[in-house]
Amino acid sequence: MSRCIDLAKQAADIGEVPVGALIIDSQGQIISQAYNLRESQQVATAHAELIAIEQACKSLSRWRLQDCTLYVTLEPCFMCAGAIILARIPRVVFAAHDPKAGAAGSLAHVLDDSRLNHKCDIVTGVCAEESSVLLKSFFKMRRKK
Amino acid sequence: MSRCIDLAKQAADIGEVPVGALIIDSQGQIISQAYNLRESQQVATAHAELIAIEQACKSLSRWRLQDCTLYVTLEPCFMCAGAIILARIPRVVFAAHDPKAGAAGSLAHVLDDSRLNHKCDIVTGVCAEESSVLLKSFFKMRRKK
């Protein structure tokens, strides 16, 4: 997760909301890593998790990431939680909760919705304070501009 | 929507689940069009709507699609419904409902969730029968193989 925090800091450095994500395989090898690029790319879907999932699929040449774990500094939104389910990722570790848009416990429970054809284990709270402070100081800085 | 059905048929022709999507601007001009490419690309996120949104953002060089309408032959899943909200699309027209994975009325109401910072008008039922028949015959054919 500390590597994810570093990725989030890289996002903040270029004016992006500081969220970082990475995907590892069952051997602990990093398959992909990404941070938010919405403003830089002007693409609405360019969230850290979605980019990391797309890169992992391309890197492994398969859409099922059933042996992978996704780490991310902020609770996934509806889009990213949906993407995690579609990619059959069995385990997600996230740092801070997102009470406004989080779909993995805050507003909804997309990752462990028994009506869907895949469910995902969730670990939360790892580096939560660090991620939260990073996000808060980013938005505070941005309001000052 | 009949153009979307044609796109869905193109997907079926290459062995993809037949779903087609397109995005038009306020003048009725087609900005982007896509169909499912999950199997061809081996990318879990390669749903018609997500590809159409990414292409539209790139084509217009902006992430806010606040003057656009998205047409799709099947009710969006969690990922795609989340992407529609993130892109600030104000209107979605979809054909058939998806009782197993739909997040725009079937399993959830992501497109008109008042807790999110954007809401979207939904029109449904246009060419629903045609889209539904296309999907059913695709899965029937696939089971036979």
Side-chain angles (χ1 to χ4, degrees), chain A residues 38-39 45 54 63 107 115, chain B residues 39 45 54 63 107 115:
Chain A
R38 183 180 72 174
E39 301 301 329
T45 57
E54 286 178 1
W63 64 260
L107 298 187
R115 300 169 302 172
Chain B
E39 301 301 330
T45 58
E54 286 180 1
W63 65 260
L107 299 187
R115 300 169 303 172

Side-chain angles (χ1 to χ4, degrees), chain A residues 11-33:
Chain A
D13 287 346
I14 58 165
E16 297 280 354
V17 174
V19 180
L22 60 81
I23 291 175
I24 60 166
D25 66 13
S26 53
Q27 276 80 48
Q29 185 85 24
I30 294 178
I31 306 297
S32 64
Q33 45 192 324

Side-chain angles (χ1 to χ4, degrees), chain B residues 48-83:
Chain B
E49 305 95 304
L50 204 83
I51 301 169
I53 290 170
E54 286 180 1
Q55 281 180 0
C57 291
K58 284 175 185 165
S59 169
L60 298 170
S61 302
R62 56 179 158 89
W63 65 260
R64 286 182 188 86
L65 305 177
Q66 77 282 357
D67 51 348
C68 293
T69 298
L70 183 143
Y71 288 79
V72 59
T73 57
L74 186 66
E75 182 183 353
C77 70
F78 277 106
M79 176 187 73
C80 292

Side-chain angles (χ1 to χ4, degrees), chain B:
Chain B
M1 186 60 86
S2 61
R3 176 76 195 121
C4 276
I5 299 278
D6 287 344
L7 290 163
K9 285 177 183 166
Q10 288 179 50
D13 287 346
I14 57 164
E16 297 280 353
V17 174
V19 180
L22 60 81
I23 291 175
I24 60 166
D25 65 13
S26 53
Q27 277 79 49
Q29 184 86 24
I30 294 177
I31 306 297
S32 64
Q33 45 192 325
Y35 49 80
N36 269 349
L37 286 171
R38 185 181 70 173
E39 301 301 330
S40 315
Q41 294 189 346
Q42 287 295 306
V43 170
T45 58
H47 279 192
E49 305 95 304
L50 204 83
I51 301 169
I53 290 170
E54 286 180 1
Q55 281 180 0
C57 291
K58 284 175 185 165
S59 169
L60 298 170
S61 302
R62 56 179 158 89
W63 65 260
R64 286 182 188 86
L65 305 177
Q66 77 282 357
D67 51 348
C68 293
T69 298
L70 183 143
Y71 288 79
V72 59
T73 57
L74 186 66
E75 182 183 353
C77 70
F78 277 106
M79 176 187 73
C80 292
I84 288 162
I85 294 299
L86 291 172
R88 311 281 197 267
I89 294 174
R91 191 162 174 263
V92 167
V93 183
F94 71 82
H97 276 273
D98 182 355
K100 286 187 184 166
S106 293
L107 299 187
H109 295 268
V110 174
L111 296 184
D112 51 0
D113 186 326
S114 58
R115 300 169 303 172
L116 298 173
N117 63 355
H118 176 72
K119 281 212 290 184
C120 177
D121 291 334
I122 306 167
V123 178
T124 180
V126 188
C127 300
E129 181 64 19
E130 203 174 346
S131 170
S132 186
V133 166
L134 190 60
L135 283 157
K136 278 176 190 159
S137 46
F138 174 81
F139 286 113
K140 200 172 168 184
M141 283 283 285
R142 205 162 67 166
R143 276 194 298 271
K144 277 186 189 165
K145 282 181 184 170

Side-chain angles (χ1 to χ4, degrees), chain A residues 121-135:
Chain A
D121 291 334
I122 305 167
V123 178
T124 180
V126 187
C127 299
E129 181 65 17
E130 203 175 346
S131 170
S132 186
V133 165
L134 191 59
L135 283 156

Side-chain angles (χ1 to χ4, degrees), chain A residues 80-97:
Chain A
C80 293
I84 288 162
I85 294 299
L86 291 171
R88 310 280 197 268
I89 294 173
R91 191 162 174 262
V92 167
V93 184
F94 71 83
H97 276 273

